[in-house]
Amino acid sequence: MEKYPESVCTNPHELYFLRMQRNRDKERENMEGSNQCKKKLRVCVATCNRADYSKLAPIMFGIKSHPDDFELEVVVLGSHLIDDYGNTFRMIEQDDFDIGSKLHTIVRGEDEAAMVESVGLALVKLPDVLQRLHPDILVVHGDRFDALALATAAALMNIRILHVEGGEVSGTIDDSIRHAISKLAHYHACCTRMAEQHLIAMCEDHARILLAGCPSYDKLLLTHQRGDYLDIIKSWLGDNVQEGNYIVALQHPVTTDIQHSIKIYGLMLDALLSFDKKTLILFPNIDAGSKEMVRVMRRKGIEQHPNFRAVKHIPFEQFIQLVCHAGCMIGNSSCGVREAGAFGTPVINLGTRQTGRETGENVLHVRDADSHNKIFHALELQFGKRYPCSKIYGDGNAVPRILKFLQSIDLDEPLQKTFCFPPVKDSISQDIDHILETQSALAIDLGGTNLRVAIICMKGSVVKKYVQPNPRTFEDRMSLILRMCRDAMKDAVCLNCRILGVGVSTGGRVNPQAGVVLHSTNLIQEWSSVDLRTPISDALHLPVWVDNDGNCAALAERKFGHGKGVENFVTVITGTGIGGGIIHHNELVHGSTFCAAELGHIVVSLEGPECSCGGHGCIEAYSSGMALQREAKKLHDEDLLKVEGVDMKLSEPITAAHLISAARMGNSKADAILNKAATALGAGIINILHIVNPTLVILSGVLASFYQAPVQRIISERALFSTKGTKVVTSDLEEPALLGAASMVLDYTTRRIY
């Protein structure tokens, strides 16, 4: 029967009313129908410990307050269910949340193996729970190993994942776990702008990243000024403790360096004992190493000490009050670098667990300590201060943003994640000239005897080399350099080599920034205060780099030789003279006046022979080719270079090779000279090891193979224990000076700043 029959209505006003009423009823029915069609989002929130519950609880309350939009399921696992850690699942029940599943997933042992076994146990138990609950989305927090198990299980079961607090950086294995969860997650609610940028850099879809802020800030910014904070302080620390006159301590193990964690923890306790202030200390979390930390605490009698109150758990609302009104917070908890900043509470962050976290000015870092004095001094500096409040991690509106973000999720869109990789340039140029050409450098080596020019390609191969005797005058030398370079550039066209620039290796002291030879060696006359860059660049219309031949040898090893991939090493040239270069933190060391790495002029004897530099007792005066040649001539002049019973055909001129040959044939005097030379070189290199502490020494030059073994032996006998293991190798490069000159050009073309 029709609800509002028009046939019985004769009054036009009454008929209009009936029609309006019918339209309203239809609209109401349509709205009710659409609401019935709209499916509630089934959200499962999984919490593993007291710390992540403090971040997830505000989200859970928000979801619960929107019953028309969401259906909440709660899964509890991890240390929540362990008595030693306070059975903190009870506070979830006290917050009036129905716990759908409790999973005992912790394998006791508090070591690395136990953590792995706990992840495995969680992966065994989670599939049944997730299959039964069948959530639309799983919310996981942070960087705990339990959370990794949750994310892994959900991803494999095709359940969408919202990761809270991804993209942040800290200093432990937590970093790797956090980023692994981010890669498994479909959606991200991050806390800071930097974390958002990190997620974008990790190729996560920007449209699925929400910059929400930290959910715990929603609660703490509202509740930290509770009027009963003095009652809370007294209930935990006693009636005589006043606001700002106590310390909150919370230190967790660093699973990648457990022994260091235990050491820092012991030093912190010693400092707190000496500082003599009332201290509320919380037990560490369940990570590997926590059992040993608790043993340290008990050996020092902390639980019985009148100044300390040791507790396993404090409800988050009360803990926030205690942190807010503390004179100082100390340890390595993320609460110190995150929540404490919102109150301006001074914090001392110990060790590396929070390295990389964004912090406010209230945080003082103590990265390492050998005694408790450094930590004690930090307490003196921080205790009782107040800092401006920081809102790096949130403004108190994270939960509304997250709820709106959840409502926007389209369950009909494809489940498969897509990553936003940056565009990668095609390595094959579309310019036919570039395809056919080989990118190369023009390298020049100004030696004492010969002038050499070479075309060297990107792989370090010498395409073509040119050699001419080095003229004695400046004008002739410059004219020959330009002529040889022009010939090489003409040949480069025929060889399909594209010359990118010119690198010059020369003896003496060089200002590489200006391209000027400041002082030359005695081997190259009229070669001081010479600007090489300008005339060569002007004539060839190419960029020009200039450096000392020893530095060039080091650059050659860094790009093409044993130094490739080595952060700190030293190259020593053993030729006519002794030179070299130092690579420190992947950079060439030049020194303030471009005189660094004059290795040949390290003094190893105050009464030694005269050196070409005018000093006495330099390595070069003992170990260079010229020094050995001088000693060989002395023996030859005294007819002592011969070996009894062996017919040595000595031809002029006498060189170091004759001395080495005589020593190998049993000439005791030649052998003594060479031993002295090797000892001098070894002693000098030991000085280098003790100053710059490289991981590798590379011997280059004609005498390298002869000196390698004795220098290695001398280091093992005479160097400090920490440097005895430094490896000494001989260079495999045939043309280190030319290759080093070329590397200055080629490194620039690959955009490496030199």
Side-chain angles (χ1 to χ4, degrees), residues 487-509:
D487 291 342
M489 291 178 68
K490 288 178 184 177
D491 291 343
V493 176
C494 301
L495 294 168
N496 285 326
C497 291
R498 183 184 180 201
I499 303 299
L500 301 170
V502 181
V504 182
S505 168
T506 180
R509 188 163 65 95

Side-chain angles (χ1 to χ4, degrees), residues 206-469:
H206 198 178
R208 295 189 172 197
I209 301 171
L210 171 69
L211 178 55
C214 182
S216 64
Y217 268 53
D218 291 29
K219 198 168 189 178
L220 66 90
L221 291 177
L222 289 173
T223 62
H224 79 277
Q225 292 295 350
R226 281 170 47 171
D228 62 346
Y229 70 88
L230 283 175
D231 295 334
I232 294 172
I233 293 171
K234 290 177 181 179
S235 68
W236 289 100
L237 289 161
D239 293 336
N240 297 325
V241 178
Q242 298 299 315
E243 176 185 3
N245 199 33
Y246 62 91
I247 297 169
V248 175
L250 178 52
Q251 179 88 354
H252 300 303
V254 177
T255 56
T256 49
D257 196 352
I258 292 172
Q259 293 308 311
H260 184 261
S261 298
I262 296 167
K263 182 192 86 169
I264 288 288
Y265 188 64
L267 295 176
M268 178 190 78
L269 296 178
D270 291 339
L272 289 170
L273 287 165
S274 300
F275 199 66
D276 198 28
K277 289 289 182 183
K278 200 73 175 180
T279 301
L280 179 67
I281 185 165
L282 280 83
F283 278 63
N285 65 20
I286 202 167
D287 282 350
S290 59
K291 187 185 294 183
E292 290 85 350
M293 291 174 71
V294 172
R295 287 198 190 106
V296 171
M297 183 171 69
R298 286 175 175 159
R299 278 200 302 269
K300 295 180 183 292
I302 296 299
E303 290 173 292
Q304 291 76 40
H305 196 283
N307 267 356
F308 286 82
R309 171 80 189 279
V311 296
K312 294 175 180 177
H313 168 67
I314 302 173
F316 181 70
E317 294 83 356
Q318 296 183 37
F319 181 66
I320 286 302
Q321 300 300 312
L322 292 163
V323 171
C324 174
H325 300 285
C328 181
M329 183 175 184
I330 187 169
N332 63 3
S333 169
S334 61
C335 178
V337 299
R338 297 169 68 95
E339 283 84 355
F343 317 129
T345 302
V347 173
I348 299 168
N349 178 53
L350 301 178
T352 60
R353 189 170 184 263
Q354 302 300 335
T355 299
R357 291 269 194 195
E358 298 171 71
T359 65
E361 61 181 291
N362 64 309
V363 179
L364 176 64
H365 296 280
V366 180
R367 307 291 187 193
D368 196 5
D370 294 320
S371 71
H372 77 278
N373 293 333
K374 187 186 288 187
I375 301 174
F376 184 87
H377 185 56
L379 285 165
E380 289 182 318
L381 290 173
Q382 287 286 79
F383 186 80
K385 281 187 178 180
R386 298 317 289 182
Y387 289 90
C389 296
S390 166
K391 292 187 179 179
I392 295 173
Y393 287 94
D395 60 0
N397 296 298
V399 172
R401 294 187 186 110
I402 292 172
L403 296 182
K404 187 176 180 181
F405 188 59
L406 285 169
Q407 288 170 328
S408 71
I409 292 174
D410 182 3
L411 298 179
D412 294 325
E413 68 179 1
L415 183 68
Q416 176 61 50
K417 274 189 72 169
T418 56
F419 298 102
C420 299
F421 295 106
V424 179
K425 283 189 177 180
D426 193 342
S427 59
I428 302 173
S429 172
Q430 297 305 305
D431 185 332
I432 189 64
D433 293 329
H434 291 181
I435 294 171
L436 296 176
E437 288 178 339
T438 301
Q439 292 187 324
S440 306
L442 209 56
I444 303 171
D445 177 29
L446 287 157
T449 305
N450 291 320
L451 195 159
R452 301 184 303 156
V453 174
I455 302 169
I456 296 177
C457 72
M458 192 70 75
K459 293 181 180 179
S461 301
V462 178
V463 180
K464 190 168 183 178
K465 184 166 64 174
Y466 310 80
V467 182
Q468 292 285 345

